[in-house]
């Protein structure tokens, strides 16, 4: 059979239907992230209630409890362990996701990668610009320019789960790829702009540890008892080097092989991601939220969010900057690569997902802590602004997505339809001759059943109409 003709720029679809393996991977990944997002949402609510209740002193006391080996420079508070330790697990998974996207996903094809990469870059640059303009105009600090640049995929999916919107797989994959690229640049921002000092001895030790980690992977060495202790040593050295310790997580994630060898059902990276993702989404990130989202919220505090230049810049950056940046970047990428939007979608769908990306929670809270370290009052106000901006973005995106929910539901039903019950959605078998033979047989049997029922019904009708 001759190979299909290559797709040209003129024919290429933006946000078109995914391949079946990619669709299955995205569905599996997002199921875990959705559950984790719900737990994240519950943890954030619990933190806000606890920090604003009569027991708020106990919240601060628990968060500030220190433990760990002081001789190794790791006598940290619980809040610090959550931000530097548990989030390293989150960034480890992000590193694996990024590696997989680069070698087997949307980012492998340079032309196809153009759209999500440009959208993510614009979705980070425009919020930073909005913050800078608002804060500088109001005479505020520019230190928080990076706070509204991050997207929280788990929180965004939790919103989707709550409002019951069934996004088609192409839009969900676009959101996931955006978040992966977003995480990469957030990591670079943290490494470059929030490193005040460097301990070159510790940094050198971390680099040596990473080299050993890579060498063991190349040699095919197996066993968690080898890699987990080594990962902890690398993390500790990276923390003491002055570079944010989460960088160790993403570096190790990027080293894993994400393409299966012959005879392998799954690559090591996919296997480890499958094991670690539930720990990240179900434990690490919610616990971080529990000890980071606990800020005092009152009527006056909410009012100050919209009057102080730094906090207003964060809110507008998340709500306006993210939506305009991602939508504009997507349109520009599609325009200059001559890619047409899939016929099943419309540009308002892209804007709705762009608005959803304005939910910046986990990484935004982390960057807020780093940007205003030492100023507890402003740090709490920035956190309140992140919460407020994320809430507004969630409500806006939820409203826009609800308007198109009926259309999304039909698209999802079409993607899931499997009339021949072979485990493969029919939409992926339309070019398979065997599929058409099976479907013809199914339709023939259905037609025969309808004829038999019609004959039975006609016979019963004649008996009823006969002589008494």
């Amino acid at each position: 059979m001759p190979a299909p003709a290559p797709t040209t720029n003129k024919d290429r679809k933006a946000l078109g239907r995914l391949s079946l393996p990619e669709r299955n991977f995205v569905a599996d990944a997002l199921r875990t992230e959705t559950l984790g997002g719900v737990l994240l949402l519950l943890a954030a609510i619990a933190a806000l209630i606890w920090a604003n209740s009569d027991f708020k002193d106990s919240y601060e006391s628990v968060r500030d409890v220190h433990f760990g080996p002081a001789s190794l420079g790791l006598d940290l508070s619980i809040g610090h362990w959550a931000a530097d330790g548990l989030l390293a697990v989150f960034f480890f998974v992000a590193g694996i996701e990024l590696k997989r996207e680069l070698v087997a996903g949307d980012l492998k094809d340079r032309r196809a990668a153009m759209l999500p990469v440009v959208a993510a870059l614009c979705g980070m640059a425009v919020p930073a610009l909005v913050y800078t303009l608002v804060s500088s105009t109001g005479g505020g600090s520019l230190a928080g320019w990076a706070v509204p640049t991050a997207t929280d995929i788990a929180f965004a999916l939790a919103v989707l789960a709550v409002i019951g919107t069934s996004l088609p797989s192409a839009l969900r994959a676009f959101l996931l790829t955006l978040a992966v690229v977003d995480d990469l640049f957030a990591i670079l921002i943290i490494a470059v702009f929030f490193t005040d000092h460097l301990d070159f001895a510790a940094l050198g030790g971390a680099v040596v540890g990473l080299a050993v980690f890579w060498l063991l992977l190349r040699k095919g060495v197996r066993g968690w008892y080898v890699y987990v202790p080594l990962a902890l040593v690398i993390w500790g050295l990276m923390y003491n080097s002055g570079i944010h310790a989460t960088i160790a997580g993403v570096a190790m994630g990027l080293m894993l092989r994400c393409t299966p060898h012959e005879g392998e059902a799954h690559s090591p990276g996919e296997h480890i991601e499958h094991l670690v993702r539930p720990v990240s989404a179900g434990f690490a990130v919610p616990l971080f939220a529990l000890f980071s989202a606990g800020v005092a919220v009152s009527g006056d505090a909410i009012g100050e969010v919209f009057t102080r230049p730094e906090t207003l810049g964060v809110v507008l950056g998340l709500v306006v900057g993210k939506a305009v940046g991602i939508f504009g970047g997507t349109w520009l990428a599609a325009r200059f690569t001559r890619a047409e939007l899939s016929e099943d979608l419309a540009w308002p769908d892209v804007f709705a997902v762009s608005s959803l990306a304005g939910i910046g929670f986990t990484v935004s809270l982390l960057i807020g802590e780093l940007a205003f370290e030492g100023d507890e009052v402003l740090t709490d106000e920035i956190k309140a602004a992140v919460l407020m901006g994320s809430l507004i973005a969630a409500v806006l995106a939820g409203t826009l997505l609800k308007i198109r929910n009926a259309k999304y539901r039909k698209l999802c039903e079409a993607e899931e339809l499997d009339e021949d019950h072979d485990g493969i959605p029919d939409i992926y078998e339309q070019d398979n001759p065997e599929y058409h033979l099976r479907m013809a047989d199914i339709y023939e049997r259905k037609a025969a059943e309808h004829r038999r029922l019609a004959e039975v019904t006609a016979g019963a009708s004649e008996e009823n109409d006969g002589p008494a």
Side-chain angles (χ1 to χ4, degrees), residues 122-421:
C122 292
M124 299 185 79
V126 176
L129 180 61
V130 169
Y131 175 92
T132 302
L133 290 174
V134 173
S135 191
S136 60
T137 301
S141 170
L142 299 182
W145 64 270
V147 175
T149 60
T151 293
D152 194 307
I153 183 64
F155 219 142
L157 291 170
V159 171
L160 289 178
V162 169
I163 65 176
T165 298
S166 301
L167 275 184
S169 59
L171 282 177
R172 286 178 175 261
F174 177 62
L175 185 61
L176 180 61
T177 307
L178 271 178
V180 170
V181 179
D182 195 288
D183 286 341
L184 169 64
F185 286 103
I187 292 161
L188 292 176
I189 287 172
I190 291 170
V192 174
F193 295 99
F194 297 102
T195 300
D196 295 330
H197 66 279
L198 283 177
D199 183 326
F200 288 99
L203 181 59
V207 171
V208 170
L210 288 170
V212 172
F213 189 90
W214 178 81
L215 187 61
L216 291 174
L217 290 172
R218 292 280 293 179
K219 294 294 184 182
V221 175
R222 296 177 179 271
W224 64 268
Y225 47 84
V226 174
Y227 291 102
V228 172
L230 178 58
L232 291 174
V233 170
I234 293 170
W235 176 87
L237 289 168
M238 189 69 76
Y239 174 83
N240 281 290
S241 74
I243 296 177
H244 201 270
T246 53
I247 304 300
V250 75
M252 287 183 279
L254 284 169
M255 289 182 181
L256 293 175
R257 176 168 57 83
C258 291
T259 50
H261 286 169
E262 187 176 353
E264 288 182 338
H266 302 285
S267 67
E270 290 174 314
H271 176 67
I272 293 171
E273 181 186 14
H274 182 73
L275 294 175
V276 179
R277 185 188 288 276
V279 178
S280 169
F283 176 73
V285 175
L287 201 58
F288 166 76
L290 181 64
F291 290 107
S292 292
V295 296
V297 178
S298 62
D300 292 339
I302 293 174
E304 288 177 3
V305 165
F306 296 99
T307 56
R308 184 160 185 160
E310 295 92 343
T311 51
L312 181 60
V314 168
V315 172
L316 292 179
L318 289 171
V319 177
V320 179
K322 274 289 183 183
V324 172
I326 292 174
F327 180 82
T330 304
W331 185 87
L332 287 172
R335 173 72 177 82
F336 288 103
T337 60
R338 294 189 294 176
E340 297 177 359
L341 193 66
S342 172
E343 58 272 7
D344 294 327
L345 301 173
W347 282 108
D349 299 320
V350 179
F351 186 79
V353 172
S354 302
S355 301
L356 189 64
I359 301 175
F361 189 76
T362 306
V363 181
S364 289
L365 291 176
L366 174 61
I367 294 177
E369 291 181 354
L370 296 173
F372 298 102
E373 190 174 9
D375 189 338
E376 291 188 12
V377 174
L378 187 51
T379 298
D380 283 349
E381 290 176 350
I382 290 293
K383 287 182 178 181
V386 169
L387 295 173
M388 184 60 64
S390 298
L391 177 62
I392 295 171
V395 171
L396 174 62
T399 303
L400 294 173
L401 291 168
K402 269 293 186 184
I403 295 172
R404 294 271 289 171
N405 200 32
K407 175 69 174 179
Y408 299 149
R409 194 178 298 115
K410 290 179 182 177
L411 291 175
C412 287
E413 288 172 357
E415 288 182 357
E416 298 293 334
L417 186 64
D418 183 19
E419 286 196 341
D420 58 346
H421 304 290

Side-chain angles (χ1 to χ4, degrees), residues 73-85:
L74 296 174
D75 182 20
L76 310 177
S77 68
I78 289 180
H80 211 158
W81 276 111
D84 287 85

Side-chain angles (χ1 to χ4, degrees), residues 18 21-31 101 169 172-173 176:
L18 304 177
E22 187 71 9
R23 171 188 171 276
N24 292 339
F25 171 80
V26 169
D28 181 59
L30 294 183
R31 271 194 293 271
E101 288 293 325
S169 59
R172 286 178 175 261
L176 180 61

